[in-house]
Amino acid sequence: MTPEAYDRLELKIHQIEKESDLIQLTLLDIEFHEEIIRIAGNSRLLSAWNLLRPQLQLWLASMHRLHHEKKTTTQKDTSESHRKLLKTLATGDADLCERVAREHARDLWQSLLNAQRSLAGSGVADD
């Protein structure tokens, strides 16, 4: 990772930390991950991302909303998890990066599922 690439990701995290609007937060979250894909320089991965991005963006916006209805720490949780990813990427350790990226995805999925279940149990969310 070049210092310039690191700085671009760091800037996205700073923008996330300052953003209070959930839609904009979702867009910044997506942009952070897209920047990682661009930094990787893998054209096939970028093509796959471009196909999936609209669906992922809609899903993530919905999940951010559910998370925010249950907890008001969506912005903080997002920036902290991205900061952990960035620090890991900076190590250059591919195995560690893969493990932390998988943990990031798993933790997000689990957190959002828990929020959805909690809201469904309270009668606030629909299945």
Side-chain angles (χ1 to χ4, degrees):
M1 174 168 314
T2 67
E4 295 80 16
Y6 185 94
D7 290 344
R8 287 193 308 269
L9 291 170
E10 182 72 33
L11 176 61
K12 289 291 177 202
I13 294 171
H14 286 299
Q15 291 172 323
I16 287 168
E17 290 170 339
K18 293 180 182 193
E19 187 56 62
S20 59
D21 181 77
L22 281 178
I23 293 172
Q24 292 303 313
L25 178 69
T26 298
L27 292 174
L28 289 167
D29 191 342
I30 293 289
E31 289 172 12
F32 177 85
H33 289 280
E34 184 170 314
E35 186 63 32
I36 292 171
I37 291 168
R38 290 186 183 285
I39 290 167
N42 183 320
S43 61
R44 288 185 177 156
L45 180 59
L46 183 58
S47 291
W49 169 263
N50 286 331
L51 288 173
L52 294 173
R53 180 184 168 146
Q55 295 171 34
L56 180 60
Q57 193 168 305
L58 286 172
W59 175 82
L60 188 58
S62 176
M63 293 299 101
H64 275 163
R65 182 184 51 78
L66 287 174
H67 183 267
H68 193 72
E69 287 175 6
K70 186 64 181 166
K71 296 171 62 176
T72 59
T73 58
T74 305
Q75 176 188 30
K76 178 179 174 280
D77 294 347
T78 302
S79 65
E80 286 178 357
S81 65
H82 287 176
R83 191 160 302 287
K84 181 178 179 181
L85 283 172
L86 180 56
K87 287 180 181 179
T88 304
L89 288 169
T91 69
D93 182 333
D95 292 333
L96 178 61
C97 288
E98 178 184 1
R99 188 171 69 246
V100 170
R102 286 181 185 274
E103 288 172 7
H104 174 71
R106 185 196 65 233
D107 291 349
L108 173 66
W109 180 256
Q110 190 60 54
S111 172
L112 297 174
L113 281 177
N114 290 342
Q116 187 175 22
R117 286 183 191 123
S118 177
L119 288 170
S122 69
V124 174
D126 296 325
D127 285 298

